[in-house]
Amino acid sequence: MRFGETPIDEATGAILAHSWRANGVNFSKGRVLSADDIAKLKAVGVATVVAAKLDEEDIHEDEAAANVAKVLAGGGIEVTAPFTGRCNHFAREAGLAVVDRERIDELNELDESVTVATLPPFARVEPRQMVATVKIIPYAAPRTAVARAIGVAKSANRPLVSVAPFQSMRAGLVQTRLPGTRDKVLDKAVVTTTKRLTSLGSTLNGERRVAHDAKEIAGALAELKAEGCDLFLIAGASAIVDRHDVVPSGIEVAGGKVIHFGMPVDPGNLLLTGEFDGKPVLGLPGCAKSPKYNGFDMVLERLAARLPVGRAEIVRMGSGGLLAEIPSRPQPRDDSDAEGEGPQQAPRVAALVLAAGRSTRMGGPNKLLADAKGEPLVVHAVKAALASQAVEVVVVLGHMEDQVRPAIEKAVPPKSRLRFVTNPDFAEGLSTSVKTGIGALGANIDAAIVQLGDMPGVGAPLLDRLTAAFSPVEGRAICVPTVGGKRGNPVLWARRFFPEMTKLSGDSGAKHLIGEHADLVCEVEMTGEAAITDIDTPEALAAWRERSTA
């Protein structure tokens, strides 16, 4: 890749390295300069720009990131579209991050242009939480570096990054008594254990309180086995101090076996692992009575994720096992967040499909019902939204609602993400549909893509690329697709703009807000002309049909 001062006459197709905002020209860094861009820059006296030009041996940052991210990801992972050389991996459901640390290190050693960052191995994750990110550092990466990175990712018969989802367990709890043991203490242990299990999608199926005696423990285990428990927890009135102590002896009397005693984790050193009836049994350390994160949680989480927890796994928990000195460690059973900050989540983006217009420029018929490659025009927009990573799809109806809605429902099977709302004021212009759609969104939505129902070429990849570009923290709160520098639709809007959007009027939509918030606008260059092609006339529809069948 050639990087540096580039004569303006040689900059067509180059990637602008620094933003240019002066004399009426507003170009963001990373923009691929078109011939029209060059003409605008020359018109204001620009002679050179700092830019990057790719060679044949280079892969553009987005393509490189997508190629690497795809081969890294295993089960339980959703990969976002690339943007600015970055692809993120998010968890599909709650579980543990399974990370091959050695191969991640090996990949990061290959070339400075290709990097991968992940959560620590076996970190607990929630649905939509970020697990890993692939970032290409410069505007392009050497093909050889990308190929080597992919080779490392494929070098073993397992992914580099995956999520092992939590699966329900039916636990049985045995608590022992000694003279002086108070019921209040045992009751509190039941509450704490129940909360631990519930946070993992599991249940406390039964509890027994017996004397601190091996035979009594064995009898309680037999009863819990008969009740269908598939995990057995034993909380002794006195801490286990030897693998031949009362609790491990009780496991053996019941016909089970002790696998390992002790763990290099503090708090949690005195945890015992064993097996009873082919199922895991744990002798709990004293800290298990506390809701604070400890070695018991580390083992319980892996069991819930159906990951092995034998001696080999236990002895490797020492690195990162000093939990007593980490006051900031998250409490998995505490839903509150005192500082209002949490793990990075995938943005919750909704798609608003505007399908309420009267099609006045179409000359009579409702264009949204016109045939477009065998389906009504509006169906293409709805299917694209449902195929995207949007968490919610809202279709705004109005003109000929009694025909538009059935046409969509016939082509699209009922889905939980699809909802219809009616705009009674559709005759007053596009703004009323935007207001209706915004008002129908859930309180947890971070942003909305306002999608026009008459742009059949807009597909899920385009929508996902807008979502990938969205980052209010980095100043990308309005994401606008461009083709050759020309802005188009649909546009993604951060939630902060929703109040202003509900005050719109007329048929102009929210375009003026883009100008008023230019510092928060991110232009997202797209391939093809879908983002600048809408169907307003019979001639436009005929032309689109001809192009799409060519």
Side-chain angles (χ1 to χ4, degrees):
M1 181 175 69
R2 292 163 288 166
F3 183 92
E5 288 284 349
T6 305
I8 194 66
D9 288 328
E10 300 176 12
T12 301
I15 302 171
L16 189 64
H18 305 300
S19 297
W20 182 278
R21 293 187 175 92
N23 300 321
V25 178
N26 186 357
F27 293 162
S28 300
K29 66 179 181 180
R31 183 187 186 101
V32 179
L33 295 172
S34 66
D36 186 55
D37 294 338
I38 298 300
K40 290 179 180 178
L41 290 169
K42 291 175 70 174
V44 296
V46 177
T48 63
V49 290
V50 179
K53 298 200 76 171
L54 276 56
D55 295 320
E56 290 185 3
E57 291 305 311
D58 295 321
I59 299 181
H60 185 273
E61 57 178 344
D62 286 346
E63 181 184 355
N67 290 346
V68 175
K70 181 179 179 179
V71 297
L72 293 187
I77 293 287
E78 182 173 349
V79 183
T80 65
F83 189 72
T84 62
R86 182 184 301 281
C87 265
N88 296 324
H89 295 70
F90 291 99
R92 293 185 185 275
E93 50 193 320
L96 294 186
V98 181
V99 178
D100 191 326
R101 179 178 298 187
E102 292 184 1
R103 283 196 294 152
I104 292 291
D105 290 344
E106 182 182 353
L107 190 153
N108 282 324
E109 288 178 354
L110 294 175
D111 190 281
E112 65 182 14
S113 66
V114 183
T115 67
V116 180
T118 74
L119 293 178
F122 305 109
R124 180 171 176 159
V125 298
E126 299 301 321
R128 302 183 63 78
Q129 181 179 341
M130 187 183 293
V131 179
T133 184
V134 175
K135 180 69 174 84
I136 305 302
I137 301 301
Y139 285 118
R143 293 184 182 276
T144 53
V146 174
R148 292 167 65 197
I150 291 173
V152 169
K154 293 182 175 180
S155 62
N157 191 27
R158 61 184 184 277
L160 270 72
V161 182
S162 61
V163 171
F166 293 138
Q167 301 180 44
S168 177
M169 300 181 295
R170 294 161 54 88
L173 173 64
V174 179
Q175 297 196 82
T176 70
R177 300 173 181 270
L178 286 171
T181 300
R182 294 180 299 168
D183 284 337
K184 183 178 180 180
V185 174
L186 302 181
D187 293 341
K188 185 177 180 180
V190 171
V191 172
T192 302
T193 303
T194 299
K195 288 183 177 180
R196 270 193 167 91
L197 292 165
T198 300
S199 75
L200 298 171
S202 297
T203 59
L204 182 59
N205 195 54
E207 185 220 359
R208 295 292 185 277
R209 298 179 182 183
V210 299
H212 192 66
D213 174 82
K215 290 184 179 179
E216 292 274 346
I217 292 172
L221 288 175
E223 291 178 8
L224 292 173
K225 170 188 172 181
E227 293 180 8
C229 293
D230 51 22
L231 170 66
F232 304 93
L233 309 174
I234 307 174
S238 179
I240 305 171
V241 295
D242 188 89
R243 66 164 36 241
H244 301 294
D245 206 342
V246 173
V247 169
S249 296
I251 294 171
E252 292 178 337
V253 170
K257 64 179 180 179
V258 173
I259 295 175
H260 188 73
F261 174 53
M263 66 186 307
V265 176
D266 185 29
N269 295 134
L270 300 182
L271 183 136
L272 178 140
T273 59
E275 183 181 284
F276 171 61
D277 190 37
K279 300 176 179 63
V281 55
L282 303 179
L284 305 186
C287 60
K289 295 182 175 66
S290 167
K292 293 184 178 180
Y293 195 89
N294 59 73
F296 171 43
D297 289 292
M298 296 175 69
V299 172
L300 190 64
E301 288 170 350
R302 295 200 195 189
L303 290 174
R306 299 301 191 266
L307 295 174
V309 194
R311 181 182 186 280
E313 288 75 27
I314 292 289
V315 300
R316 287 178 173 81
M317 291 182 179
S319 178
L322 185 56
L323 308 180
E325 301 301 321
I326 309 179
S328 63
R329 182 175 293 275
Q331 305 301 314
R333 290 156 305 285
D334 185 359
D335 294 331
S336 65
D337 187 356
E339 299 182 3
E341 296 180 357
Q344 187 168 352
Q345 302 283 324
R348 297 183 62 83
V349 177
L352 295 183
V353 181
L354 307 187
R358 294 179 294 168
S359 307
T360 53
R361 283 182 287 177
M362 202 69 178
N366 189 336
K367 64 181 177 182
L368 297 182
L369 297 174
D371 180 75
K373 294 176 62 176
E375 291 185 313
L377 192 67
V378 68
V379 168
H380 291 271
V382 175
K383 283 188 172 181
L386 288 171
S388 76
Q389 294 174 343
V391 299
E392 183 176 44
V393 178
V394 176
V395 179
V396 182
L397 301 170
H399 178 57
M400 296 178 64
E401 174 183 358
D402 59 338
Q403 296 182 46
V404 175
R405 177 167 181 165
I408 295 173
E409 291 178 326
K410 180 180 179 181
V412 180
K415 296 186 181 225
S416 60
R417 289 191 300 146
L418 177 62
R419 291 191 294 115
F420 294 94
V421 294
T422 300
N423 171 20
D425 304 316
F426 64 87
E428 297 178 18
L430 180 70
S431 63
T432 61
S433 290
V434 174
K435 289 192 289 186
T436 300
I438 291 295
L441 295 178
N444 63 345
I445 294 299
D446 300 312
I449 298 175
V450 180
Q451 186 182 356
L452 305 182
D454 63 354
M455 299 184 71
V458 171
L462 189 153
L463 302 178
D464 289 343
R465 183 161 166 77
L466 290 176
T467 299
F470 174 59
S471 178
V473 173
E474 298 181 16
R476 302 195 296 269
I478 303 174
C479 299
V480 184
T482 60
V483 177
K486 181 179 180 181
R487 289 177 174 177
N489 281 295
V491 177
L492 181 149
W493 300 86
R495 185 177 190 86
R496 61 174 290 183
F497 300 108
F498 289 2
E500 292 180 80
M501 295 171 77
T502 58
K503 298 176 183 178
L504 298 172
S505 62
D507 203 37
S508 60
K511 287 184 179 180
H512 70 282
L513 295 178
I514 297 177
E516 294 174 8
H517 301 280
D519 57 324
L520 299 177
V521 174
C522 169
E523 293 185 340
V524 186
E525 185 66 18
M526 302 292 182
T527 58
E529 297 190 349
I532 57 174
T533 303
D534 58 353
I535 308 298
D536 283 332
T537 64
E539 292 76 18
L541 178 58
W544 182 81
R545 286 170 175 163
E546 185 176 349
R547 287 195 304 271
S548 62
T549 57

